[in-house]
Amino acid sequence: MKLLEIRPNLMFVGQVHGKQTTLPPKVKSAIPQYGAWYEGNGGDKIRGVSYKGSWDDAISKNIKGYPKHFLFVIFTNTAENKQKEILVGNGTIFDRILRTQNDLGYFKNKRFDADTLVSFLKEMGDDYLQLSRAQATKGNVDKFISKGEHAMWESGNTLAKKMADKANNYRDMWLLSQPKGVYFVGSDHIKALESLY
């Protein structure tokens, strides 16, 4: 666990996705006073913490439409978010992304259309749009998701990484603009938040 304290009433707790952590007394005492917010769908919630909700859901209220760079979640934290399982089914990978976006999408209660998905996949580079036209078999989905996750998070400054960075930069700036609270974030956000602060 990493802790970034901006002020006594605004702090960020970096945690490894999918792992429980022990909170220091400073964080435990701040939560009842300022409130705690989890990242994403709450898959990383820490037992015993009373949360007000998802800070990602709070962000979505400020964004009009469905900007394509927020489709980065298709290739993010796939072990925890189960994209390789969710996308397997009848039809193409492209069709399955559209049909299962309630499970995969960044925004709740917002939907992206086929044109937004095409634009996102083209901007990812390489042949993502072509790969998405394959049938959504276990093997094809695994290849598609693995390639995208690798390009986005493990390959340096790729087109895919630039898409994710654009969305994450917006998220990080929003977090820093908050007046108070304890925000639980993926540990990778702490370094970005420090550099922006």
Side-chain angles (χ1 to χ4, degrees):
M1 186 207 70
K2 297 177 182 176
L3 177 64
L4 173 61
E5 185 176 350
I6 304 297
R7 301 181 295 278
N9 65 349
L10 180 61
M11 56 184 73
F12 304 101
V13 180
Q15 61 186 121
V16 176
H17 289 298
K19 304 238 190 257
Q20 287 289 307
T21 188
T22 303
L23 299 176
K26 178 186 276 191
V27 173
K28 285 182 180 179
S29 66
I31 290 171
Q33 293 178 42
Y34 310 116
W37 300 84
Y38 57 84
E39 182 176 12
N41 64 7
D44 296 326
K45 284 183 184 177
I46 296 172
R47 288 184 290 276
V49 173
S50 179
Y51 293 92
K52 289 183 173 269
S54 166
W55 57 263
D56 279 310
D57 289 348
I59 287 174
S60 72
K61 296 172 185 168
N62 299 327
I63 297 175
K64 293 188 185 343
Y66 207 119
K68 68 182 172 187
H69 51 276
F70 279 95
L71 294 180
F72 80 101
V73 297
I74 293 169
F75 301 109
T76 301
N77 297 323
T78 63
E80 291 82 21
N81 296 332
K82 310 285 188 227
Q83 290 93 321
K84 291 179 182 180
E85 296 170 18
I86 292 168
L87 288 176
V88 173
N90 293 328
T92 66
I93 295 170
F94 187 93
D95 294 335
R96 293 288 300 161
I97 292 171
L98 289 173
R99 271 189 254 144
T100 62
Q101 63 181 283
N102 288 340
D103 296 321
L104 295 176
Y106 180 80
F107 300 112
K108 289 183 180 171
N109 302 320
K110 290 186 182 187
R111 296 186 59 81
F112 54 88
D113 60 17
D115 291 338
T116 303
L117 181 55
V118 166
S119 181
F120 169 76
L121 293 171
K122 283 182 178 178
E123 196 163 327
M124 284 279 296
D126 285 339
D127 53 353
Y128 291 97
L129 183 57
Q130 181 181 339
L131 287 172
S132 77
R133 301 293 188 191
Q135 290 299 303
T137 64
K138 184 170 175 35
N140 289 341
V141 167
D142 186 83
K143 178 181 174 184
F144 177 76
I145 294 297
S146 294
K147 178 180 174 133
E149 186 170 36
H150 180 76
M152 193 166 276
W153 303 111
E154 302 165 13
S155 299
N157 196 23
T158 63
L159 294 171
K161 177 79 168 120
K162 289 177 184 176
M163 292 285 281
D165 287 348
K166 188 172 181 180
N168 276 326
N169 186 58
Y170 183 92
R171 294 169 76 213
D172 292 338
M173 294 300 291
W174 184 90
L175 285 166
L176 288 170
S177 74
Q178 297 312 294
K180 65 181 179 182
V182 178
Y183 294 86
F184 289 82
V185 299
S187 56
D188 55 318
H189 282 280
I190 295 294
K191 186 175 180 180
L193 289 164
E194 286 173 330
S195 72
L196 292 169
Y197 178 68

